[in-house]
Amino acid sequence: MSKFLEVRNLNVSFPTEDGMVRASNGVTYSVGLGETLAIVGESGSGKSVSNLAVMGLHNPTRTEISGEAILNLKSGSVDVISADTETVRKLRGKEMAMIFQDPMSALHPFFSIGDQIAEAWHLYNKGSKADGKNKALEMLELVGIPDAAKRINDFPHQFSGGMRQRAMIAMALVNNPSLLIADEPTTALDVTVQSQILSLLKELQIKFNMAIILITHDLGVVAEFADRICVMYGGRIVEDGTVEDIFYQPKHPYTLGLLNSVPRITAGTSHRLKAIPGQPPSLINLPKGCSFAPRCEYTSKVAGGKCSTEVPTLDVKNAGHLSRCFLSTESLNNLVKDKA
Amino acid sequence: MSENILELNNLTKYFPIKGKGILSGTKGLVKAVDGVSLTVKRGETVGLVGESGCGKTTVGRTVMKLYEPTSGQIIFDGQDITDIKRKEMKIVRSKMQMIFQDPFSSLNPRHTVGTIISSSFTIHGIEPEGGIEHAVGELLELVGLNPEHINRFPHEFSGGQRQRIGIARALALKPKLIVADEPVSALDVSIQAQVVNLLDDLQQELGLSYLFVAHDLSVVQHISDRVVVMYLGKVMEMAPTAELFKHPRHPYTKALLSAVPVADPKVGRSRERIILQGDLPSPVNPPAGCVFNTRCWKAQDICRTEIPETIQISPLQTLACHFPE
Amino acid sequence: MLKYVSRRILYTTILLLIVSLSIFYIFDLIPMDPARLICSKQCTPALVEANRHRLGLDVSVIEQWWRFIVGLFAGRTFGEDGIGQFCSAPALGYSFPRHECVTTIVANAFPFTLSLAVGAFIMWISVGVSLGVLSARKKGKFADRAASVFVLVGTSLPTFISGILILLFIVLKFNLVNPLELGDWHNPFTEPIGWLNTFFFPCATLALAYAATYTRFTRSNVIETSSEDYIRTARAKGLTERVILRKHTLRAALAPIVTIAGLDFAGLLGGAVITEGIFGLNGLGKLSIKAVTQTYDLPIIVATTLIASTLVLVANLLVDITYAFIDPRVRAE
């Protein structure tokens, strides 16, 4: 059975004066209805860029995009990469919606919260102004805005950070889309508000049977929220698996390094953090081989120095668990054991 | 010599809200910091945590005397610096330095790394042994940067490296206390660990004391010996790190800790989670009684009328709650 | 909102009183004595004193100012007691060289200035804003480059050169306007063709420089707004590019233009000295220049200065109120 969104071999690059910025290279992932896929990576790993391409939100004159992103709708399948802009526009907001990191700048400062939600509803529904307002009210109540009837005419600056993000969610979901892309939705919020927003998203996902793509750098959020995880580095997916796969059986040295470098609140006594040395690669001059090779401690263990000359493929290492590394699961496990 | 490098007694900092126009006066007061007492021992790291708007950054800046305290007392290295003059403060500042959150905006883009770091010497008119250039090179090495990069500009460095430059600048005058304001929150996870480790190493090597202001509880837990939890300008709870994270006594601390997502699916999903309702009240009109009462699930009538006293549980532990856990 | 508006009105009124008083003090300081200037050849100190009394300059500045304010509301008799000239409210003064109430003189000149300002305003706003939007949308393309040439020409060409060029070529060489009719007054409502004949080219001259500035300003505002997060949100909702531009981008991008447009317009209502001079329009600008350079007619000078500053202050008030309607963040204050 095919999943709701299937992204295959997606490439996104931006021509600049300094050269071609290859932000997303051969990215492949998929997400089904009711499922949450987390895309994890540091800044510049290509996690947002790939999903903006799915939404068709890149400026076509300044971006080169190739590959496929297929939405399997009830009415048939559409490849949003090759489809014309008008077709994709009509899918935005209706079949796929997106929320962003900073809800203050993502909401228009001059229009009331209610108007902004109603505007999205009117786009795909016939109804009077009052109908639109009622729908906006219903959505604000759904996302848990207290006194929604009173707050509906408020402007974004009158809302708190958490309420703004709730309003963004209300606006994104007003047409009941099947896919919600959430780009760092809680990064700008305090932890107590973050947990409110995440549990709201979970609740709404079950209610509407939505596919959610969660873009984040926060491994804690991922661990508690996602079903599947794609780890991105240097514009490529380096590992893809279930939450358990990634957290308990990581098969890529970068994932391993990332997991070791976060301080954990449950860890008890403070051990020394195991930092990954070096810096993330420049997307203009990606290393010739594996993009993680310059920072990887295991490159010497791969025969023939392949790591710096050849890009490893994203191979199935276990059922449903893929990793882009020349090392076999066994040899990686042994190397990790030796170190410990 | 006092055991404490820093002591804050009942520190308050109110910001007046000015009305628009020439004729309207002060409209109200933002009680950013409202009666904060804490100590930092020599060689100790004290973490100051809380959500945005709790006043933790204001505490840091008031300690540095970037803001004039409204009332209370700041004792640094045995000296009362609450009301000292600007000239004397300059001398104090050489022993007390600050690291900022945004490593980009806190470095002058038109100056080379060498100029930025050596300005610490020139401002205070200090000639280090072996000359300024030699000292700057040593500092760069100390923070893990290549001393040959002394003539590069900030934009030629990555975020993590820029934070290292900020740290090198802070270390130039061999300070005793460093106030670190969210020093790693702008950095990527893998880089964050590098900087946290560097701060750890420097403390070991130079015997520094840190007042570490941050919202990321996992980082604070990792680096601090003691943690102070703030909410709406007041200290809710202060305790040694292990104690605080294992047995949080204040309901707010408990809720805050339970809200932190854990990078371990099994632990994270099986944990009891307290989801606080609502948002932070405005610091202009903080709730009467205990400031946390509007979001506290344990709040009784007394919490709405009486401010809970801060109880000294042990020399290193305080608590302000009518109904602690 | 109502509170905001009434507070702003109060401030503006206070400011107006202060500004008008300052104007009286400033003209008092200028070392020119109107009482002596209008004195004939056989001038005696007694005659000068009599003149001073006639002109109303023999009392303190505050008193002069107060008489002026009262005259504005109640009308006023100028000149010698008993046999003076009465000007009905709003009395702005009396011009002895022209034997006319200043209010009448100003009322005759104002239609020229108003026509010029309104015509130029409509031209420069429509040209400037649409050209700015166009060049922002076609950034880097031919239309954008063409617009930038226009901006360059418009901003670098002073009005006295562009005005004379237009006058020479279009009006005189191609005989589009009869030179004898240049500067004739026609009522725009009853004789629109005649009005256009008089005002089209002066307005275009004046509009040229403004339009260029507004093109540049609009272009940069539209480009900046287009990269805002909320425009990306609008796109993510599925709105068409047309709606995004018209409703979301322009609303935010043009808001600051309201501010400068209001003030520029008010500035022009005080008189466009150069353009009025070139095209022989008897507007406020020409009136005040003549009053200063030819007769030192103090009542006229004071009146035109006051009118200009009042217009700017009132425009400022209107702009602020309009802005509060557009941007809800201002309202909240």
Side-chain angles (χ1 to χ4, degrees):
Chain A
M1 206 195 90
S2 49
K3 294 206 173 179
F4 181 73
L5 169 71
E6 292 174 84
V7 176
R8 289 189 210 123
N9 202 20
L10 181 68
N11 298 295
V12 182
S13 21
F14 309 100
T16 66
E17 279 174 21
D18 301 325
M20 190 65 97
V21 177
R22 300 186 189 283
S24 169
N25 305 289
V27 169
T28 298
Y29 58 84
S30 60
V31 60
L33 294 174
E35 189 186 26
T36 302
L37 170 73
I39 301 189
V40 181
E42 301 178 73
S43 42
S45 62
K47 54 190 195 299
S48 294
V49 165
S50 311
N51 286 291
L52 287 170
V54 171
M55 288 290 291
L57 291 179
H58 286 297
N59 184 336
T61 58
R62 272 177 275 154
T63 326
E64 289 175 14
I65 305 176
S66 66
E68 291 181 327
I70 293 165
L71 285 183
N72 290 308
L73 308 168
K74 284 193 193 101
S75 53
S77 300
V78 186
D79 175 9
V80 291
I81 303 298
S82 61
D84 62 288
T85 51
E86 189 57 13
T87 310
V88 182
R89 178 187 70 74
K90 284 182 177 154
L91 293 171
R92 281 202 290 269
K94 177 135 187 66
E95 295 294 343
M96 51 183 182
M98 190 159 181
I99 56 174
F100 303 95
Q101 173 170 348
D102 181 0
M104 182 66 198
S105 62
L107 288 163
H108 201 298
F110 292 0
F111 299 109
S112 76
I113 298 281
D115 283 349
Q116 297 193 46
I117 299 172
E119 183 187 37
W121 184 78
H122 282 299
L123 203 53
Y124 297 108
N125 297 278
K126 285 204 174 79
S128 65
K129 249 185 144 179
D131 294 339
K133 195 164 177 184
N134 284 336
K135 186 67 191 178
L137 182 62
E138 183 193 313
M139 289 310 291
L140 285 176
E141 276 166 356
L142 183 73
V143 298
I145 301 282
D147 276 335
K150 259 194 230 157
R151 307 301 299 264
I152 189 166
N153 292 323
D154 276 8
F155 291 90
H157 71 270
Q158 290 165 301
F159 271 35
S160 70
M163 292 208 308
R164 279 181 215 133
Q165 196 59 291
R166 284 173 194 269
M168 273 299 288
I169 294 171
M171 191 164 82
L173 302 189
V174 71
N175 294 312
N176 198 1
S178 304
L179 170 67
L180 176 70
I181 299 175
D183 190 352
E184 304 264 11
T186 58
T187 306
L189 305 174
D190 280 317
V191 274
T192 58
V193 180
Q194 166 170 283
S195 57
Q196 293 173 0
I197 297 291
L198 289 177
S199 66
L200 172 70
L201 280 175
K202 196 95 238 175
E203 187 192 312
L204 294 173
Q205 175 174 41
I206 294 166
K207 195 164 180 174
F208 297 118
N209 194 30
M210 268 188 303
I212 292 185
I213 295 178
L214 176 72
I215 303 168
T216 181
H217 69 279
D218 188 331
L219 289 168
V221 170
V222 172
E224 300 197 0
F225 192 71
D227 301 313
R228 288 189 68 83
I229 299 174
C230 286
V231 181
M232 285 192 76
Y233 187 81
R236 295 195 183 95
I237 290 180
V238 294
E239 190 165 356
D240 177 350
T242 64
V243 174
E244 284 76 20
D245 286 342
I246 301 286
F247 277 91
Y248 302 127
Q249 310 277 325
K251 299 211 184 311
H252 194 281
Y254 173 64
T255 315
L256 258 170
L258 206 56
L259 288 169
N260 284 330
S261 62
V262 282
R264 293 186 193 192
I265 206 160
T266 46
T269 50
S270 54
H271 55 108
R272 194 177 161 76
L273 294 178
K274 221 176 137 284
I276 306 174
Q279 309 293 333
S282 144
L283 295 172
I284 294 180
N285 284 312
L286 278 177
K288 214 173 146 226
C290 171
S291 25
F292 188 59
R295 299 173 78 186
C296 183
E297 51 184 327
Y298 303 118
T299 41
S300 59
K301 311 291 179 193
V302 175
K306 267 202 296 188
C307 295
S308 51
T309 53
E310 220 178 285
V311 179
T313 49
L314 190 61
D315 292 333
V316 179
K317 304 273 176 173
N318 250 339
H321 189 176
L322 297 81
S323 166
R324 196 185 280 279
C325 183
F326 290 120
L327 286 172
S328 68
T329 307
E330 269 168 36
S331 34
L332 184 66
N333 283 348
N334 288 335
L335 287 168
V336 173
K337 221 177 277 168
D338 288 350
K339 288 215 81 173
Chain B
M1 198 161 80
S2 149
E3 185 198 16
N4 296 328
I5 184 77
L6 179 72
E7 203 178 318
L8 304 182
N9 294 323
N10 221 359
L11 187 72
T12 57
K13 176 65 197 173
Y14 297 164
F15 293 102
I17 311 169
K18 287 261 163 63
K20 240 183 149 190
I22 347 159
L23 301 178
S24 40
T26 307
K27 272 183 172 171
L29 289 171
V30 179
K31 298 181 175 173
V33 176
D34 199 6
V36 166
S37 301
L38 62 86
T39 55
V40 181
K41 289 192 286 182
R42 289 174 199 278
E44 190 190 28
T45 301
V46 171
L48 196 53
V49 299
E51 298 176 275
S52 48
C54 73
K56 55 187 191 298
T57 295
T58 311
V59 169
R61 295 194 176 170
T62 314
V63 166
M64 292 298 298
K65 294 289 291 281
L66 297 176
Y67 298 144
E68 280 303 315
T70 306
S71 69
Q73 197 182 28
I74 308 169
I75 297 169
F76 172 71
D77 206 6
Q79 183 190 4
D80 187 338
I81 62 163
T82 321
D83 299 312
I84 64 167
K85 292 189 189 74
R86 203 175 271 190
K87 244 187 201 162
E88 292 168 82
M89 192 57 210
K90 205 170 144 188
I91 301 162
V92 173
R93 277 217 185 104
S94 66
K95 292 189 277 178
M96 182 161 84
Q97 288 285 321
M98 193 157 183
I99 309 173
F100 298 92
Q101 168 172 6
D102 186 347
F104 201 59
S105 62
S106 62
L107 302 176
N108 187 333
R110 287 192 193 84
H111 287 173
T112 64
V113 171
T115 319
I116 289 169
I117 298 174
S118 58
S119 68
S120 294
F121 297 117
T122 45
I123 287 169
H124 289 90
I126 291 170
E127 181 70 30
E129 262 178 73
I132 285 181
E133 196 160 325
H134 176 74
V136 171
E138 273 187 342
L139 282 165
L140 286 175
E141 213 154 30
L142 185 66
V143 298
L145 291 173
N146 188 344
E148 286 167 19
H149 293 170
I150 190 164
N151 287 324
R152 294 199 177 174
F153 290 90
H155 69 89
E156 297 176 67
F157 294 89
S158 68
Q161 289 171 321
R162 284 196 288 261
Q163 195 54 287
R164 286 170 192 266
I165 298 169
I167 295 172
R169 173 177 60 182
L171 291 178
L173 298 169
K174 301 195 168 55
K176 294 177 174 173
L177 174 73
I178 288 194
V179 176
D181 188 2
E182 301 271 9
V184 297
S185 14
L187 306 176
D188 273 320
V189 190
S190 74
I191 308 300
Q192 224 175 45
Q194 294 174 3
V195 175
V196 168
N197 283 341
L198 173 68
L199 290 172
D200 263 341
D201 294 343
L202 292 171
Q203 182 164 46
Q204 303 270 316
E205 231 167 283
L206 309 171
L208 294 169
S209 313
Y210 293 132
L211 180 62
F212 194 93
V213 180
H215 72 278
D216 185 333
L217 286 150
S218 357
V219 172
V220 167
Q221 185 221 21
H222 178 84
I223 202 162
S224 312
D225 300 307
R226 223 146 31 98
V227 178
V228 177
V229 181
M230 283 185 71
Y231 185 82
L232 275 183
K234 288 186 189 298
V235 174
M236 298 287 104
E237 181 172 10
M238 171 171 84
T241 308
E243 180 66 24
L244 185 102
F245 280 78
K246 220 179 277 167
H247 305 294
R249 301 286 307 275
H250 199 289
Y252 176 63
T253 316
K254 203 177 169 191
L256 196 62
L257 293 182
S258 86
V260 179
V262 179
D264 186 330
K266 279 179 192 157
V267 179
R269 290 174 195 215
S270 60
R271 248 176 358 144
E272 184 203 355
R273 156 137 337 149
I274 303 158
I275 294 186
L276 288 181
Q277 296 308 310
D279 293 301
L280 208 67
S282 153
V284 183
N285 281 314
C290 171
V291 282
F292 184 55
N293 81 65
T294 53
R295 296 172 81 194
C296 184
W297 66 98
K298 293 177 103 178
Q300 310 273 326
D301 284 343
I302 183 173
C303 302
R304 289 175 202 109
T305 50
E306 255 175 65
I307 300 171
E309 247 177 89
T310 302
I311 314 155
Q312 193 90 30
I313 296 174
S314 75
L316 297 177
Q317 198 173 357
T318 64
L319 179 66
C321 180
H322 291 298
F323 302 101
E325 296 280 309
Chain C
M1 190 66 200
L2 200 69
K3 205 174 140 201
Y4 173 80
V5 172
S6 49
R7 203 176 58 204
R8 290 307 318 249
I9 291 177
L10 179 72
Y11 279 154
T12 306
T13 314
I14 296 172
L15 214 53
L16 266 176
L17 292 175
I18 296 172
V19 166
S20 55
L21 184 59
S22 318
I23 288 172
F24 272 85
Y25 269 108
I26 289 167
F27 282 113
D28 185 59
L29 287 175
I30 290 176
M32 291 266 257
D33 189 354
R36 191 170 290 280
L37 284 174
I38 58 168
C39 197
S40 57
K41 275 177 191 156
Q42 296 94 30
C43 200
T44 63
L47 221 47
V48 172
E49 270 322 301
N51 279 339
R52 182 160 294 139
H53 178 68
R54 199 154 61 95
L55 291 170
L57 297 174
D58 56 341
V59 293
S60 70
V61 177
I62 287 261
E63 173 89 48
Q64 291 174 33
W65 173 74
W66 182 243
R67 283 189 192 169
F68 180 86
I69 299 289
V70 171
L72 269 183
F73 294 97
R76 186 175 161 192
T77 305
F78 296 92
E80 278 143 295
D81 313 305
I83 53 160
Q85 282 290 332
F86 180 76
C87 296
S88 54
L92 289 166
Y94 185 80
S95 165
F96 287 93
R98 296 175 62 154
H99 303 290
E100 241 181 324
C101 287
V102 173
T103 310
T104 319
I105 300 171
V106 166
N108 287 331
F110 194 65
F112 284 94
T113 297
L114 184 67
S115 296
L116 192 58
V118 170
F121 183 77
I122 292 171
M123 281 188 200
W124 96 61
I125 289 290
S126 45
V127 172
V129 169
S130 42
L131 215 53
V133 172
L134 179 76
S135 83
R137 303 297 288 179
K138 307 274 175 203
K139 194 175 148 198
K141 303 230 175 80
F142 176 76
D144 184 25
R145 285 186 200 161
S148 72
V149 171
F150 169 74
V151 169
L152 199 67
V153 171
T155 46
S156 56
L157 210 60
T159 314
F160 60 84
I161 294 191
S162 57
I164 288 169
L165 286 177
I166 288 176
L167 188 70
L168 283 177
F169 282 88
I170 298 176
V171 181
L172 301 180
K173 189 154 186 238
F174 300 118
N175 230 352
L176 290 171
V177 176
N178 181 353
L180 295 175
E181 287 171 10
L182 209 63
D184 279 5
W185 171 251
H186 298 277
N187 187 321
F189 301 104
T190 53
E191 308 164 76
I193 303 291
W195 183 84
L196 272 179
N197 222 9
T198 306
F199 286 103
F200 183 83
F201 293 110
C203 288
T205 306
L206 204 52
L208 180 67
Y210 283 102
T213 316
Y214 279 61
T215 303
R216 191 172 52 185
F217 193 65
T218 307
R219 178 183 183 272
S220 68
N221 271 7
V222 169
I223 288 175
E224 200 187 307
T225 310
S226 302
S227 64
E228 291 282 355
D229 282 359
Y230 53 78
I231 299 302
R232 184 178 60 184
T233 306
R235 205 162 275 133
K237 276 177 172 179
L239 295 174
T240 58
E241 289 302 314
R242 227 173 109 100
V243 174
I244 293 171
L245 176 69
R246 293 210 175 158
K247 191 169 162 193
H248 293 247
T249 311
L250 286 187
R251 176 102 183 229
L254 297 187
I257 292 180
V258 170
T259 314
I260 55 163
L263 294 180
D264 280 344
F265 180 67
L268 275 188
L269 283 181
V273 176
I274 294 167
T275 314
E276 285 176 13
I278 292 172
F279 291 94
L281 301 169
N282 292 314
L284 284 182
K286 221 172 148 197
L287 176 68
S288 33
I289 287 294
K290 238 164 65 191
V292 173
T293 55
Q294 293 178 6
T295 47
Y296 197 68
D297 199 341
L298 194 58
I300 291 184
I301 301 170
V302 168
T304 49
T305 313
L306 262 175
I307 288 170
S309 45
T310 307
L311 285 169
V312 168
L313 283 176
V314 171
N316 210 349
L317 171 74
L318 293 178
V319 159
D320 281 355
I321 292 171
T322 318
Y323 205 88
F325 272 106
I326 302 173
D327 189 344
R329 288 169 298 184
V330 176
R331 236 175 290 169
E333 284 297 317

